[in-house]
Amino acid sequence: MSKIVPDPPVNTATPNAEATEAEALIKDREAINRALDYYLDPPEPYSVKTRRPSTMFMVVPDVDSESLLAHACESLASASVMAGDFAGYLEGPQRHTALAIQQIIMLAELAVNRALDNVDVPLATV
């Protein structure tokens, strides 16, 4: 909301001093508004249009969902085994953390397996 009267009112005797004081207050108010806009509504650092994903590791776009889910399931099973083996070398809280990570991986593997069961496989025509 803009105010017509400077905040606080200028009590000077000369017109030039009053104009200078009013300009300084306007500049201060603009700086405050810029700072608030910057911190309360920051610009997005990376927009979707400018970000291009790396093509070093790329999944072929026409791979079917069943193959992707099967690969994800195998990767999660391998990660579960690695976390379990790693937990065997640890003791105390670190072991509990590694076993918790293994449990999360196993839950993700179960979810991927269920999604794989729900994939409709088109029948091959002979």
Side-chain angles (χ1 to χ4, degrees):
M1 174 166 66
S2 300
K3 289 177 131 181
I4 297 173
V5 179
D7 191 298
V10 180
N11 293 327
T12 58
T14 61
N16 285 340
E18 187 174 307
T20 306
E21 183 72 24
E23 288 177 10
L25 289 173
I26 290 171
K27 286 181 182 178
D28 287 345
R29 189 168 299 257
E30 289 173 354
I32 290 169
N33 287 335
R34 279 195 311 273
L36 287 174
D37 288 343
Y38 178 78
Y39 286 108
L40 297 179
D41 189 23
E44 293 184 21
Y46 302 105
S47 67
V48 176
K49 295 177 184 175
T50 59
R51 183 183 174 279
R52 292 185 307 154
S54 172
T55 57
M56 185 172 184
F57 303 105
M58 186 173 161
V59 177
V60 179
D62 59 346
V63 175
D64 59 313
S65 296
E66 182 183 12
S67 298
L68 292 172
L69 287 170
H71 182 71
C73 183
E74 292 170 3
S75 297
L76 287 169
S78 298
S80 177
V81 170
M82 288 187 288
D85 289 346
F86 183 65
Y89 294 110
L90 299 174
E91 295 179 3
Q94 291 85 10
R95 178 181 173 87
H96 296 301
T97 302
L99 289 173
I101 292 170
Q102 182 189 21
Q103 184 177 16
I104 292 169
I105 293 169
M106 287 178 11
L107 290 173
E109 183 184 359
L110 286 172
V112 170
N113 271 327
R114 177 57 58 122
L116 190 57
D117 290 340
N118 293 338
V119 170
D120 291 330
V121 180
L123 298 174
T125 56
V126 179

